[in-house]
Amino acid sequence: MPRPYTLFTGQWADLPFEEVARLASGWGYDGLEIAVSGDHLDAWRWDEPGYVEAKLAVLEKYNLKVWAISNHLKGQAVCDDPIDFRHEAIVGAKVWGDGDPEGVRSRAAEEMKHTARLAKALGVDTVVGFTGSSIWQYVAMFPPVPAAVIEAGYQDFADRWNPILDVFDECGVRFAHEVHPSEIAYDYWTTVRTLEAIGHREAFGLNWDPSHFMWQGIDPVSFIWDFKDRIYHVDCKDTKLRPTGRNTVMGSHLPWGDPRRGWDFVSAGRGDVPWESSFRALAAIGYTGPISVEWEDAGMDRLHGAPEALAALKKFDFPASNTSFDAAFKQ
């Protein structure tokens, strides 16, 4: 059975939810990875009579399904330090409140718990998102940072996320953390350390998004194999690398799409992600969940790019074999 293809709605939150559903259905998507953003989903309304039913009715109207929802923006604020103007712009008035940092973190954590409850109400078993990090600010390790500070950062993550994950367990829902710069797990070894920090509890897994691996020099295929028991969801975004000796991986504080950058996100199929090898690896570990297109390309119109990305990825994908190689030769 082919894997379903969904469109992640995070980059479409400026449009009404029904409009995004209409567009995705017309392009041939099987469903949506719905973001808790805009009018798409509001986690605080998870138990409001008729709220979930109305969202499911929109999906049914356009012959779409939902396998996962996401809440990256509020998850970011759970552990971040500092909490500042950047968070005010993304977390919304309810979570921001008076802007007191610890209050913001507390309300963000509460929303993540509600997100698990909302997922259960929608009949969904996976929430994709970010965790934030109190130690990302030290990534350059200069001025010098004592090892105890880094250890305290992982402990802070465990202390803040274990109570959230308790609610996920109660709801029968899993959290799929997107390994991403600015998070507690942003590359290979920080992912190992993050899983250790929470005792490898099953409620916490990973969202495989290769776009963030490429510019860091992480092999996305090996990552799938090494963390095969933790790949709970897949987001597909592409990255085009263009290091020149002047253009570097750090981005030089340049905006997306600037040709002086050493890399940029591009529509899936137009970058350097090894999609066929990646899909083969996903098949090898038995991943049967959705392939979610996270469309992002500063140089392309999204109404052109979203259907193009779907077609590009489907060219690389294929059903897994149900016959062993040895068995085939014994016929």
Side-chain angles (χ1 to χ4, degrees):
M1 181 177 179
R3 289 174 285 225
Y5 278 78
T6 60
L7 179 67
F8 173 52
T9 75
Q11 283 83 8
W12 306 77
D14 60 311
L15 298 180
F17 176 63
E18 182 162 354
E19 176 64 6
V20 178
R22 184 189 68 80
L23 289 169
S25 178
W27 292 327
Y29 283 91
D30 302 304
L32 299 176
E33 176 195 341
I34 311 173
V36 179
S37 186
D39 84 327
H40 295 192
L41 283 177
D42 183 342
W44 298 86
R45 300 176 67 183
W46 71 273
D47 59 348
E48 178 182 309
Y51 181 74
V52 167
E53 291 79 5
K55 297 298 180 181
L56 293 174
V58 171
L59 294 176
E60 184 176 4
K61 177 179 178 180
Y62 294 98
N63 197 30
L64 298 172
K65 295 184 178 179
V66 56
W67 287 269
I69 64 175
S70 70
N71 198 341
H72 292 74
L73 303 183
K74 305 347 179 299
Q76 185 68 45
V78 172
C79 287
D80 262 8
D81 186 11
I83 295 287
D84 57 28
F85 64 93
R86 299 167 300 163
H87 301 85
E88 184 177 12
I90 65 172
V91 300
K94 185 182 291 290
V95 171
W96 181 255
D98 62 3
D100 174 70
E102 196 54 39
V104 173
R105 295 184 191 104
S106 177
R107 289 184 291 275
E110 191 64 24
E111 177 159 328
M112 295 311 296
K113 295 174 184 178
H114 287 328
T115 304
R117 298 172 179 127
L118 176 60
K120 180 181 179 180
L122 286 162
V124 166
D125 67 2
T126 303
V127 171
V128 183
F130 290 151
T131 61
S133 172
S134 64
I135 53 176
W136 169 253
Q137 59 185 302
Y138 305 126
V139 66
M141 296 299 282
F142 189 86
V145 181
V149 172
I150 303 303
E151 289 300 313
Y154 286 106
Q155 187 61 53
D156 177 74
F157 155 72
D159 291 344
R160 294 183 186 278
W161 274 90
N162 271 321
I164 298 171
L165 296 173
D166 289 343
V167 176
F168 273 72
D169 279 335
E170 291 169 10
C171 294
V173 175
R174 308 175 302 178
F175 182 74
H177 168 59
E178 185 169 334
V179 178
H180 184 293
S182 80
E183 311 307 322
I184 194 68
Y186 61 87
D187 63 8
Y188 187 97
W189 294 114
T190 56
T191 299
V192 171
R193 183 66 186 85
T194 295
L195 292 172
E196 291 173 347
I198 53 168
H200 294 269
R201 61 183 297 177
E202 291 187 8
F204 188 92
L206 305 172
N207 178 49
W208 181 81
D209 180 344
S211 64
H212 309 293
F213 298 160
M214 298 303 294
W215 65 271
Q216 294 185 80
I218 303 167
D219 176 9
V221 180
S222 296
F223 193 95
I224 291 171
W225 184 254
D226 289 353
F227 296 101
K228 53 183 173 290
D229 64 331
R230 294 290 161 162
I231 304 297
Y232 291 172
H233 191 261
V234 167
D235 271 355
C236 291
K237 188 166 62 177
D238 216 331
T239 299
K240 187 65 180 177
L241 304 171
R242 46 174 183 264
T244 64
R246 294 193 301 270
N247 301 356
T248 72
V249 297
M250 298 302 288
S252 307
H253 293 298
L254 294 168
W256 304 115
D258 191 302
R260 294 171 294 171
R261 290 179 57 87
W263 60 275
D264 247 313
F265 296 131
V266 294
S267 190
R270 291 182 175 269
D272 296 308
V273 172
W275 291 114
E276 182 175 340
S277 296
S278 297
F279 284 138
R280 287 181 179 273
L282 289 169
I285 68 169
Y287 178 80
T288 58
I291 302 296
S292 188
V293 174
E294 183 182 358
W295 193 84
E296 193 169 336
D297 188 326
M300 182 186 294
D301 185 275
R302 62 184 179 179
L303 297 180
H304 171 84
E308 179 197 84
L310 175 62
L313 290 171
K314 283 189 171 182
K315 287 195 301 184
F316 293 111
D317 198 7
F318 47 83
S321 173
N322 57 9
T323 304
S324 73
F325 188 77
D326 290 340
F329 272 89
K330 291 177 182 178
Q331 300 292 326

